[in-house]
């Protein structure tokens, strides 16, 4: 049809081409916090990494909701705090309630958790195929890397935000930091974006890097 002809391209090159129209569609995002026992690491006297993750999760979700992006919330492994993807002020209030309390993201580590394949299967069963995942994890064990990679392999675009709970002031802490860097490098090498976050620096920079 004449309305589909790109007349600027025609005038410039002499060739006929059509204008492609694409229906704009907002992404769906699930912010998922790692609450497996292995994630409960903290600097001496500090806040456990999952609770740091809850702060990051709410801040990121709030920014995405403000931009009109549908956002949901969950944990690894999936728990009762699962919140389906939604939009608007009511969804923001629901996420605040989930993340401010310790029901969904407790202060104390659970005694155990299912194996990684079971965790990913339970999570993907709750995610629509086109839902992107923001996985908030300290990456303190290889299981967290496996969760991110399996979610990515299942077709969900995964971005990792990783609060750093390590302390290089001791030999064990320095070793833990090196191991964590190795995991960050492994994910980046596999094409999974990772934002390393030192909670002492605040969350604003992380929000800018992840949501832009």
């Amino acid at each position: 049809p004449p309305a589909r002809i790109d007349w600027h391209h025609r005038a410039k090159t002499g060739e006929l081409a059509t204008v492609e129209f694409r229906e704009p569609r907002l992404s769906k995002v699930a912010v998922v916090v790692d609450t497996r026992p292995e994630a409960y690491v903290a600097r001496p006297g500090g806040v456990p990494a999952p609770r740091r993750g809850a702060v990051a999760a709410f801040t990121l979700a709030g920014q995405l909701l403000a931009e009109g992006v549908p956002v949901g919330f969950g944990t690894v492994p999936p728990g009762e705090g699962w919140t389906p993807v939604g939009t608007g002020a009511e969804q923001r209030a629901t996420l605040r309630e989930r993340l401010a309390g310790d029901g969904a993201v407790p202060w104390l580590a659970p005694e155990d958790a299912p194996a990684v394949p079971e965790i990913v299967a339970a999570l993907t069963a709750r995610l629509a195929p086109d839902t992107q995942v923001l996985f908030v994890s300290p990456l303190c064990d290889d299981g967290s890397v496996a969760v991110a990679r399996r979610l990515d392999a299942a077709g969900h675009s995964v971005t990792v935000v990783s609060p750093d709970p390590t302390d290089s002031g001791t030999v064990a802490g320095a070793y833990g930091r090196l191991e964590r860097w190795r995991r960050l490098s492994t994910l980046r090498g596999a094409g999974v974006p990772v934002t390393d976050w030192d909670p002492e620096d605040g969350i604003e920079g992380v929000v800018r890097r992840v949501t832009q």
Side-chain angles (χ1 to χ4, degrees), residues 61-77:
Q63 180 63 36
L64 291 168
L65 286 169
E67 296 174 4
V69 178
V71 179
F73 165 73
T75 59
V76 169

Side-chain angles (χ1 to χ4, degrees), residues 28-33 51 53-75 80-105 134:
K28 299 175 184 177
V29 177
V31 184
V32 179
V33 177
R51 287 305 307 170
V55 173
F58 178 70
T59 307
L60 289 163
Q63 180 63 36
L64 291 168
L65 286 169
E67 296 174 4
V69 178
V71 179
F73 165 73
T75 59
E80 297 180 0
W82 174 257
T83 306
V85 168
T87 59
E90 184 176 348
Q91 181 75 345
R92 180 183 174 87
T94 298
L95 294 178
R96 181 190 296 113
E97 180 181 353
R98 293 277 192 275
L99 290 161
D102 63 358
V105 184
L134 273 178

Side-chain angles (χ1 to χ4, degrees), residues 188-206:
R188 288 168 176 156
V192 177
V194 181
T195 296
D196 192 9
W197 172 42
D198 185 344
E200 302 300 325
D201 294 338
I203 190 64
E204 293 79 11
V206 173

Side-chain angles (χ1 to χ4, degrees), residues 17 20 28 35 52 57 63 79 93 97 103 108 136 152 162 168 198:
E20 295 293 333
K28 299 175 184 177
T35 58
R52 297 282 194 188
Q63 180 63 36
E97 180 181 353
L108 299 177
V136 185
D152 189 63
S162 185
S168 59
D198 185 344

Side-chain angles (χ1 to χ4, degrees), residues 102-176:
D102 63 358
V105 184
W107 279 84
L108 299 177
E111 293 183 0
D112 53 26
V116 168
E118 296 176 46
I119 288 174
V120 174
L123 185 57
T124 54
R126 302 187 184 194
L127 296 172
D130 59 344
T131 303
Q132 301 179 41
V133 175
L134 273 178
F135 182 38
V136 185
S137 172
L139 299 178
C140 287
D141 74 316
D142 291 341
S144 56
V145 174
V147 168
R149 296 191 67 174
R150 282 174 175 266
L151 285 171
D152 189 63
H156 299 285
S157 177
V158 177
T159 296
V160 177
V161 174
S162 185
D164 182 3
T166 61
D167 177 18
S168 59
T170 65
V171 173
Y175 177 76

